[in-house]
Amino acid sequence: MWKIVLCLCIVVRISKGQIEDYTAVVPNVPNPVTQGAVTPTSIEISWPVQTPAVGQTTYEVTYTDGTTYKSVDIATSSLTLTGLTPNTEYTLTVVATTNAGSTAATDALVIRTAEDKPTAVRNLTAAFETSNYTVTVAWEIPQPTKGDITKYK
């Protein structure tokens, strides 16, 4: 007669005398999101790595200029957003996700891209008045201005 013996094996990790649970958990909200370098067309941001970091944690960064919403999925805790519009305010949030679920969004971070040099003036005209020897110069302001125009040369 044959006997069948079943063995149930459980793999656990013991660290510092404690059994670590490998069950995936929803990570903490990755606050605070901090601002790094800002240029006319880019914004650098970072946030704390999430703990407990059981399993793969990914991040969804959502940003808007008030009219266009975009999101980027990445596996690192920093990102440089590029292709942005100069002198424009962006609102950014980050959501951390594991296979157990997602966090709430971080507190919103509002960052304005830096100003850039303006484009050329448009429709430049000059009129000379011979009776009083004056020249009248007129133009349309550059579009887009890319910042506050403080003077013309």
Side-chain angles (χ1 to χ4, degrees), residues 79 136 139 147:
L79 176 66
T136 303
W139 61 88

Side-chain angles (χ1 to χ4, degrees), residues 112-128:
R112 179 175 290 278
T113 51
E115 292 184 0
D116 201 0
K117 63 183 180 181
T119 56
V121 297
R122 301 176 305 152
N123 299 322
L124 178 63
T125 60
F128 180 68

Side-chain angles (χ1 to χ4, degrees), residues 4-82:
I4 298 176
V5 178
L6 297 174
C7 177
L8 175 63
C9 296
I10 300 174
V11 177
V12 295
R13 178 177 170 194
I14 300 176
S15 173
K16 299 180 185 174
Q18 300 293 318
I19 295 176
E20 294 182 6
D21 182 1
Y22 276 94
T23 305
V25 295
V26 175
N28 298 318
V29 176
N31 275 324
V33 178
T34 55
Q35 172 184 323
V38 176
T39 71
T41 58
S42 69
I43 295 173
E44 183 181 286
I45 58 171
S46 62
W47 52 89
V49 173
Q50 290 313 290
T51 55
V54 177
Q56 178 69 32
T57 301
T58 59
Y59 302 93
E60 178 185 31
V61 178
T62 302
Y63 60 103
T64 179
D65 60 5
T67 57
T68 303
Y69 289 84
K70 294 184 180 180
S71 66
V72 178
D73 292 324
I74 61 169
T76 61
S77 61
S78 65
L79 176 66
T80 300
L81 301 169
T82 59

Side-chain angles (χ1 to χ4, degrees), residues 86-88 112-119 141-142 144-152:
N87 196 39
T88 301
R112 179 175 290 278
T113 51
E115 292 184 0
D116 201 0
K117 63 183 180 181
T119 56
I141 64 170
T145 60
K146 300 183 181 180
D148 295 329
I149 296 175
T150 57
K151 66 181 177 180
Y152 292 95

